[in-house]
């Protein structure tokens, strides 16, 4: 009897084991990694940008002339045409009529048409003021708040550069000569560049920002310390010469 009962027990255990092996496996529990998190995932770390390299102030600067901005106000264009005509004819009374009542000449407490007359020697019919303003108006001008100022050179020149030692080339593709002569060998071409002035003269000796030394005619250079004119509307809305003075 004991043997028979033991055999039945073994048979029952074998059947249970077989049934368990035939049952489909229970699905594995989802890993905690796939469970959506309530907090936003951290962004992937990025490589830190390289440190900024500070470029010396003098390196490779140009001062291309902007498009002349006088067309922004049509009445300004009419005024400038009237002024150019007075300059061409050396019309002293016509020039005086276009001055602001507080026109400035660059000398402190020295302003107004009478002071302008004296400062610029308008008693002389060949005073240089006609040519100076004509040259100024031949170069592009820009707006400085409510005033139109020309030429652009003094207005846009970098404030950290010494204006007494640097000038601006006014034209593109100017030949830099080895000697002070148009027949001398061309060393390079320069365009609108800010250059260091080494020797002044009709042929000015300069050094480019690339370190090349040579000569160019003075007519192609303009100093940020040169004369500058600004024009503004008076209370009646008429354009007038507000100032004519040397730059910084």
């Amino acid at each position: 009897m004991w043997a028979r009962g033991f055999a039945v027990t073994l048979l029952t255990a074998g059947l249970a084991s077989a049934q368990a092996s035939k049952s489909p496996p229970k699905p594995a529990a989802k890993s905690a990694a796939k469970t959506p998190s309530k907090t936003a995932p951290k962004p992937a770390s990025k490589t830190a940008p390289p440190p900024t390299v500070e470029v010396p102030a003098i390196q490779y600067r140009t001062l291309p002339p902007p498009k002349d901005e006088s067309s922004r106000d049509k009445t300004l264009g009419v005024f400038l045409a009237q002024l150019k005509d007075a300059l061409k004819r050396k019309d002293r009374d016509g020039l005086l009529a276009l001055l602001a009542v507080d026109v400035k000449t660059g000398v402190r407490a020295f302003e107004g048409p009478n002071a302008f007359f004296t400062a610029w020697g308008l008693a002389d019919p060949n005073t240089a003021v006609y040519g100076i303003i004509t040259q100024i108006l031949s170069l592009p001008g820009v707006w400085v708040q409510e005033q139109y100022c020309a030429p652009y050179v003094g207005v846009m020149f970098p404030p950290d550069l010494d204006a007494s030692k640097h000038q601006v080339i006014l034209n593109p593709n100017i030949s830099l000569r080895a000697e002070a002569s148009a027949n001398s060998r061309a060393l390079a071409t320069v365009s609108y560049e800010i250059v260091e002035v080494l020797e002044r003269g009709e042929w000015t000796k300069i050094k480019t920002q690339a370190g090349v030394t040579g000569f160019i005619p003075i007519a192609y250079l303009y100093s940020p310390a040169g004369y500058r004119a600004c024009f503004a509307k008076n209370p009646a809305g008429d354009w007038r010469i507000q100032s004519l003075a040397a730059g910084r």
Side-chain angles (χ1 to χ4, degrees):
M1 291 293 293
W2 176 86
R4 184 177 179 183
F6 180 72
V8 171
T9 300
L10 290 177
L11 177 61
T12 303
L15 290 174
S17 176
Q19 288 178 356
S21 63
K22 291 181 179 180
S23 300
K26 293 181 179 181
K30 295 182 178 179
S31 63
K34 295 184 179 180
T35 303
S37 174
K38 292 183 180 180
T39 58
K42 294 182 179 180
S45 61
K46 295 182 179 180
T47 304
T52 302
V53 178
E54 188 172 343
V55 179
I58 190 62
Q59 290 298 314
Y60 302 103
R61 296 202 190 191
T62 58
L63 202 63
K67 180 180 179 182
D68 186 76
E69 297 178 356
S70 61
S71 59
R72 175 171 139 183
D73 188 313
K74 292 182 179 179
T75 61
L76 173 59
V78 174
F79 166 79
L80 292 178
Q82 183 181 0
L83 174 58
K84 289 176 182 178
D85 180 65
L87 296 171
K88 183 177 180 180
R89 294 185 290 105
K90 297 185 178 180
D91 181 356
R92 182 182 65 189
D93 293 336
L95 176 60
L96 289 171
L98 298 177
L99 298 176
V101 295
D102 57 346
V103 61
K104 297 174 177 57
T105 61
V107 181
R108 185 173 295 180
F110 196 64
E111 59 184 40
N114 290 335
F116 188 97
F117 185 101
T118 302
W120 286 103
L122 285 175
D124 180 358
N126 294 315
T127 171
V129 72
Y130 301 120
I132 288 172
I133 302 178
T134 298
Q135 181 189 28
I136 286 172
L137 296 180
S138 70
L139 298 171
V142 293
W143 289 88
V144 180
Q145 297 180 350
E146 297 302 316
Q147 295 189 12
Y148 172 79
C149 297
Y152 70 98
V153 174
V155 179
M156 301 179 67
F157 193 82
D160 58 307
L161 291 185
D162 188 341
S164 67
K165 297 180 180 179
H166 298 85
Q167 293 193 20
V168 179
I169 294 175
L170 297 173
N171 302 79
N173 303 320
I174 301 302
S175 294
L176 182 66
R177 302 289 180 179
E179 303 292 340
S181 169
N183 297 322
S184 178
R185 178 170 58 93
L187 302 175
T189 57
V190 286
S191 303
Y192 304 123
E193 187 174 319
I194 297 174
V195 296
E196 183 180 356
V197 176
L198 303 178
E199 296 176 10
R200 303 177 189 276
E202 288 302 312
W203 280 85
T204 299
K205 187 176 183 179
I206 64 167
K207 182 168 72 173
T208 70
Q209 292 174 30
V212 182
T213 300
F215 295 82
I216 64 170
I218 193 173
Y220 293 124
L221 291 167
Y222 201 89
S223 170
Y227 287 107
R228 184 192 318 170
C230 289
F231 310 90
K233 287 184 178 181
N234 62 16
D238 299 319
W239 284 98
R240 292 292 183 263
I241 300 173
Q242 190 63 50
S243 64
L244 176 63
R248 56 190 174 86

